[in-house]
Amino acid sequence: MTSVSPTQGNPAGGTPVTINGSGFTGASAVRFGPNLATNVVIVSDTQITARTPPGSGTVRITVTGPMGTSTQNVFFSYTTVAAPVLTALSPSSGPTGGGNTVTITGTNLTSATQVLFGPTPATILTNTPTQITATAPPGTGTTNVTVTTPGGTSNPLSYTYVTTPAPTITALSPSSGPTTGGNTVTITGTNLTGATQVLFGPTPATILTNTPTQITATAPPGTGTVNVTVTTPAGTSNSVPYTYAAVPAPTITSLSPTNGPTTGGNTVTITGTNLTGATQVLFGATPATILTNTPTQITVTAPAGPPSVVNVTVTTAGGISNPLSYIYVAAPIVIGVSPQFGPDTGGNSVTITGSNLALASAVNFGPNPATGLTVISDNQLTATAPPGTGTVVVTVTTPGGTSTLGPGNPYYTYLGAPVINTLIPDTGSSLGGDSVTINGANLTYTDSVTFGGTPASFSVLSDTLAVATAPAHAAGTVGVQLHTPAGNSNTLPFTYDPA
């Protein structure tokens, strides 16, 4: 563990916290002192979110995983929560029918449990320590707005309900559309807040968005020229004409991107002509979610599909477009990395094996991007490790997505360079055979010990202790050096006495 945010919270518990560190994959418990946290979510190998249990004072946080329990000193302080204070409302007035968004500014507003307009609760939309947005309920006259948190109830601020004038329409865009309806029409005007109905002639339209000066609605089917009107709690607007007309068939010319993951979810831009009022976009036989729609461009969220090539088509009131090909790419899988260890300074070449790697665009060692990406085959690539610490998961990103933990061993461990501090003894017989204790740091993964370039047999007892048997050597002083996957250590002198 390296840090927690925030570092303090309510003694009653329930404070959401984010814990940062490494080796969190498979974690089974998070404790604040002796007490178990709730709502624990392992976001990644380096991050956990949780809610604090009840407690008091300052306690140490621990995370328990398959390799044991963390020992770092990361602390959390339980403190009394201050009462909320309100300083401003924006706006400070609104329609008697409510429904408008009010921004409440102040301090100590975290974890608001209730916002009241007089005796009537409002719907809380967003909540930060200094700001809340809420949907005003219906009301009349001037009333007090208060906020309640675990720290108590705030001071009141005045909010005034005002009578709203009747709506007025000034423009429609577009002012015509297909007889089958289904296209989006933007209605511009004044006093449009709280629209309860939009009529195209006698037929209701579906309201999509509503602000004081603009409404977007889905036009219903119809023929000829009809009058569009808007109704709010204040009355019905003037009418503006809308004409139903024949629509040409859509044509699509390009897709961007032309491929994506089998899980779908990526945004695809479709360019063409006569795309207004698209009612359906198909990837093969599967509908996509339409995000935006103009006469020359549609953006959609691609649906899921198996690894394959499918036809994308657009349907409007004018018919079905020509098809364009879209490729579903299987997600990459990382099975192993070689070597699995390297220096914390990075810079070494690592070979990554797996499947579906041919279209790799990025390799990450934990959160850090690698450089020097070279694709060798669909099953193998190489990359230059970035600097890092601890044990991280190596991931590969392609148009099919980013690899996730699965079969194999996609872990890479960063090692600090080995250091020798002392040799005990630092002299011995030129015949060899003397046992030499090596004290230092980062010795766990030692793979060779040399005395003046001559290999010695050795045993590693801990990360700070190794024991080597001095090989035979001519009398004189030589350098003793260790090597690990992180590189060579410094050298210390060892003196061979004549036999």
Side-chain angles (χ1 to χ4, degrees):
M1 287 173 36
T2 58
S3 65
V4 62
S5 177
T7 58
Q8 60 183 20
N10 198 310
T15 301
V17 297
T18 299
I19 301 168
N20 299 302
S22 60
F24 291 161
T25 301
S28 57
V30 175
R31 286 182 169 83
F32 284 67
N35 301 321
L36 284 170
T38 59
N39 299 98
V40 176
V41 176
I42 302 171
V43 179
S44 69
D45 194 61
T46 61
Q47 190 174 89
I48 292 174
T49 61
R51 286 189 178 270
T52 61
S56 61
T58 298
V59 297
R60 188 163 70 88
I61 304 170
T62 58
V63 175
T64 300
M67 302 300 292
T69 298
S70 61
T71 59
Q72 293 76 22
N73 290 323
V74 177
F75 296 99
F76 182 87
S77 298
Y78 287 97
T79 60
T80 301
V81 179
V85 176
L86 306 188
T87 56
L89 302 179
S90 179
S92 59
S93 63
T96 56
N100 56 309
T101 299
V102 177
T103 299
I104 305 166
T105 304
T107 57
N108 309 320
L109 304 183
T110 303
S111 302
T113 56
Q114 189 175 61
V115 174
L116 292 179
F117 281 59
T120 309
T123 300
I124 297 173
L125 303 176
T126 65
N127 185 191
T128 73
T130 60
Q131 194 172 86
I132 294 172
T133 59
T135 302
T140 58
T142 298
T143 188
N144 285 327
V145 174
T146 58
V147 172
T148 300
T149 73
T153 298
S154 73
N155 58 298
L157 291 181
S158 294
Y159 180 86
T160 302
Y161 286 99
V162 295
T163 302
T164 306
T168 301
I169 301 177
T170 56
L172 303 179
S173 178
S175 59
S176 62
T179 55
T180 53
N183 56 307
T184 299
V185 178
T186 299
I187 304 166
T188 304
T190 58
N191 309 316
L192 303 181
T193 301
T196 56
Q197 189 177 61
V198 173
L199 292 178
F200 281 58
T203 309
T206 301
I207 298 173
L208 303 176
T209 66
N210 185 192
T211 72
T213 59
Q214 195 172 87
I215 294 172
T216 59
T218 302
T223 58
T225 298
V226 299
N227 286 324
V228 175
T229 59
V230 174
T231 299
T232 73
T236 299
S237 72
N238 59 304
S239 62
V240 175
Y242 178 87
T243 302
Y244 286 98
V247 178
T251 301
I252 57 176
T253 56
S254 66
L255 305 178
S256 180
T258 58
N259 51 39
T262 57
T263 55
N266 56 309
T267 299
V268 178
T269 299
I270 304 168
T271 303
T273 57
N274 307 318
L275 304 182
T276 302
T279 56
Q280 189 176 62
V281 175
L282 291 178
F283 281 57
T286 308
T289 301
I290 298 174
L291 303 175
T292 65
N293 186 191
T294 72
T296 59
Q297 195 171 84
I298 297 173
T299 59
V300 299
T301 301
S308 62
V309 179
V310 298
N311 285 327
V312 175
T313 58
V314 173
T315 300
T316 71
I320 300 175
S321 74
N322 58 297
L324 289 180
S325 295
Y326 179 86
I327 303 172
Y328 280 104
V329 180
I333 298 173
V334 175
I335 295 175
V337 297
S338 179
Q340 289 188 292
F341 305 94
D344 53 15
T345 55
N348 55 310
S349 179
V350 177
T351 298
I352 300 163
T353 56
S355 57
N356 307 320
L357 307 181
L359 299 178
S361 58
V363 173
N364 276 58
F365 283 59
N368 300 319
T371 57
L373 168 61
T374 301
V375 175
I376 297 172
S377 69
D378 195 50
N379 300 313
Q380 189 177 90
L381 54 83
T382 61
T384 301
T389 58
T391 297
V392 298
V393 177
V394 177
T395 59
V396 173
T397 298
T398 73
T402 298
S403 60
T404 58
L405 286 174
N409 187 15
Y411 295 98
Y412 181 85
T413 299
Y414 286 102
L415 304 177
V419 176
I420 300 176
N421 294 328
T422 62
L423 302 176
I424 302 174
D426 59 4
T427 61
S429 169
S430 60
L431 297 176
D434 293 291
S435 179
V436 179
T437 298
I438 304 171
N439 292 291
N442 305 319
L443 307 183
T444 298
Y445 295 97
T446 298
D447 50 31
S448 73
V449 177
T450 57
F451 283 63
T454 302
S457 60
F458 66 92
S459 296
V460 176
L461 304 182
S462 71
D463 198 52
T464 60
L465 187 66
V467 176
T469 301
H473 199 283
T477 299
V478 300
V480 176
Q481 188 174 57
L482 284 157
H483 181 274
T484 75
N488 287 318
S489 72
N490 59 306
T491 61
L492 287 185
F494 183 87
T495 301
Y496 281 98
D497 297 324

